């Protein structure tokens, strides 16, 4: 970042537009002492440092860090060491978060598989007893083909419609 970039300032509206956040969110981060805008009368003026911090806050939130964790990382900022300590600690926490996210993804995949199997079983049972209760019985075959894939659906028996 050049010296001119360091001196650039941003309005709350500019940061809201650039990062797709609300003014309320920026004020919240200010209240939590994550951002430190200066004031010109009633107007908040954000520095290039505030902009960079906002970018890191949003990135941290997106990957699942709490605001406390984000604050801890931001507090390690030190230009004198080229931010080496901050980067090393961030790397350590990123690796731990990566492991957590991978476990969560596996849990989600397993939950999705369980729900899909449950839907298939329920659809089968409803089709046996009351196919008229299936979502738009005419759409059932389309749903079945989409679920099983076109080739598997060709081998599947066509749904029968029983009258109550």
């Amino acid at each position: 970042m050049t010296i001119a970039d360091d001196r650039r300032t941003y309005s709350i509206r500019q940061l809201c537009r650039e990062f797709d956040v609300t003014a309320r969110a920026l004020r919240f981060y200010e209240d939590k002492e994550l951002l430190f805008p200066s004031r010109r009368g009633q107007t908040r003026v954000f520095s290039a440092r505030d902009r960079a911090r906002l970018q890191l806050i949003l990135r941290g939130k997106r990957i699942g860090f709490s605001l406390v964790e984000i604050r801890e990382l931001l507090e390690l900022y030190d230009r004198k060491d080229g931010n080496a300590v901050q980067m090393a600690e961030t790397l350590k926490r990123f690796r731990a978060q990566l492991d957590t996210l991978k476990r969560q993804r596996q849990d989600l995949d397993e939950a999705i598989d369980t729900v899909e199997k449950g839907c298939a079983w329920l659809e089968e049972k409803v089709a046996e007893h009351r196919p008229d209760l299936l979502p738009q019985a005419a759409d059932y075959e389309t749903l079945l083909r989409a679920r099983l894939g076109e080739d598997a659906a060709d081998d599947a028996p066509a749904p029968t419609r029983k009258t109550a």
Side-chain angles (χ1 to χ4, degrees):
M1 194 180 288
T2 66
I3 293 175
D5 289 339
D6 277 348
R7 293 191 180 132
R8 180 163 179 202
T9 60
Y10 303 86
S11 70
I12 198 165
R13 180 175 285 137
Q14 287 172 311
L15 290 181
C16 288
R17 201 175 4 220
E18 179 178 354
F19 292 101
D20 194 27
V21 296
T22 63
R24 184 176 179 182
L26 293 180
R27 288 190 296 273
F28 176 78
Y29 297 142
E30 181 183 357
D31 289 344
K32 296 295 180 185
E33 297 181 346
L34 294 168
L35 299 176
F36 305 95
S38 59
R39 302 266 183 179
R40 286 192 195 132
Q42 294 295 320
T43 305
R44 287 174 173 81
V45 179
F46 293 88
S47 66
R49 184 169 189 236
D50 287 318
R51 184 190 170 281
R53 288 173 69 93
L54 177 60
Q55 190 171 29
L56 293 172
I57 292 165
L58 296 174
R59 185 175 298 150
K61 281 184 55 190
R62 187 170 50 251
I63 64 172
F65 287 152
S66 70
L67 290 181
V68 170
E69 292 169 316
I70 293 167
R71 176 198 314 277
E72 290 170 354
L73 292 173
L74 291 173
E75 287 174 353
L76 295 174
Y77 178 81
D78 182 3
R79 274 192 164 171
K80 293 176 188 148
D81 75 348
N83 299 317
V85 172
Q86 182 186 41
M87 289 186 289
E89 182 63 25
T90 300
L91 176 61
K92 182 175 99 177
R93 292 189 190 196
F94 270 31
R95 291 201 184 279
Q97 187 65 8
L98 182 60
D99 290 340
T100 299
L101 291 170
K102 285 180 177 180
R103 279 192 310 274
Q104 288 174 343
R105 181 174 58 192
Q106 182 178 348
D107 291 345
L108 282 171
D109 288 342
E110 289 171 8
I112 288 168
D113 185 55
T114 299
V115 172
E116 285 177 339
K117 287 176 181 174
C119 286
W121 184 86
L122 289 165
E123 287 169 350
E124 181 182 316
K125 294 304 174 189
V126 171
E128 285 175 19
H129 301 286
R130 291 281 311 273
D132 60 302
L133 295 177
L134 288 169
Q136 307 301 339
D139 294 339
Y140 185 69
E141 184 175 347
T142 305
L143 176 70
L144 183 62
R145 287 184 186 279
R147 283 253 162 76
L148 299 176
E150 197 63 37
D151 295 334
D154 290 339
D155 298 333
T160 58
R161 184 170 187 124
K162 295 180 183 176
T163 55

